[in-house]
């Protein structure tokens, strides 16, 4: 069973009802690089949660993750899993470029 929620809601849930995570096996947080109050607080609460519930597997995902920073913060010895991505060339167009073409 998967459950999706906002970081703000998850912060409130972990802060006020940590016992609800006793039966949770995995906690996945995406876009962890979007630093803000909610995510920073969520990282602190997750670190505390993992001390009480070491069976929980925390998965942090980001396209631009500073893995060594989070590895140290969560005191993880295993190396991070890096999923290679195929990059595609990006071609930029500006409004001036479009005006010069006869397509518009």
């Amino acid at each position: 069973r998967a459950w999706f929620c906002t970081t703000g809601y998850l912060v409130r849930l972990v802060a006020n009802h940590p016992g609800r995570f006793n039966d949770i096996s995995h906690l996945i947080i995406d876009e962890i690089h979007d630093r803000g109050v909610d995510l920073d607080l969520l990282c602190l609460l997750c670190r505390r949660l993992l001390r009480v519930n070491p069976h929980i597997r925390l998965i942090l995902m980001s396209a631009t993750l500073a893995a060594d920073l989070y590895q140290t913060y969560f005191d993880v010895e295993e190396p991070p899993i890096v999923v290679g991505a195929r990059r595609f060339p990006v071609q930029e167009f500006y409004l001036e470029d479009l005006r010069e073409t006869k397509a518009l």
Side-chain angles (χ1 to χ4, degrees):
R1 180 171 127 179
W3 180 51
F4 298 90
C5 66
T6 63
T7 53
Y9 183 79
L10 188 56
V11 164
R12 287 180 162 220
L13 191 61
V14 175
N16 297 314
H17 306 285
R20 295 195 57 193
F21 291 85
N22 291 341
D23 298 326
I24 300 295
S25 63
H26 292 76
L27 183 56
I28 302 170
I29 303 172
D30 194 12
E31 301 296 334
I32 194 73
H33 66 272
D34 288 340
R35 299 286 307 274
V37 175
D38 279 350
L39 276 174
D40 286 351
L41 187 55
L42 183 58
C43 284
L44 170 69
L45 294 170
C46 284
R47 188 168 68 172
R48 291 180 180 175
L49 183 67
L50 292 174
R51 289 181 183 153
V52 177
N53 296 305
H55 68 277
I56 295 177
R57 298 293 173 237
L58 180 64
I59 301 164
L60 304 176
M61 299 188 322
S62 171
T64 58
L65 177 69
D68 55 337
L69 175 78
Y70 289 98
Q71 190 174 2
T72 302
Y73 184 76
F74 286 102
D75 194 28
V76 175
E77 295 179 12
E78 294 84 12
I81 298 171
V82 178
V83 178
R86 254 177 48 192
R87 296 184 183 181
F88 297 92
V90 175
Q91 192 173 10
E92 294 180 2
F93 293 97
Y94 297 95
L95 183 58
E96 294 79 25
D97 299 332
L98 295 174
R99 286 185 182 152
E100 291 174 7
T101 64
K102 302 285 182 187
L104 296 178

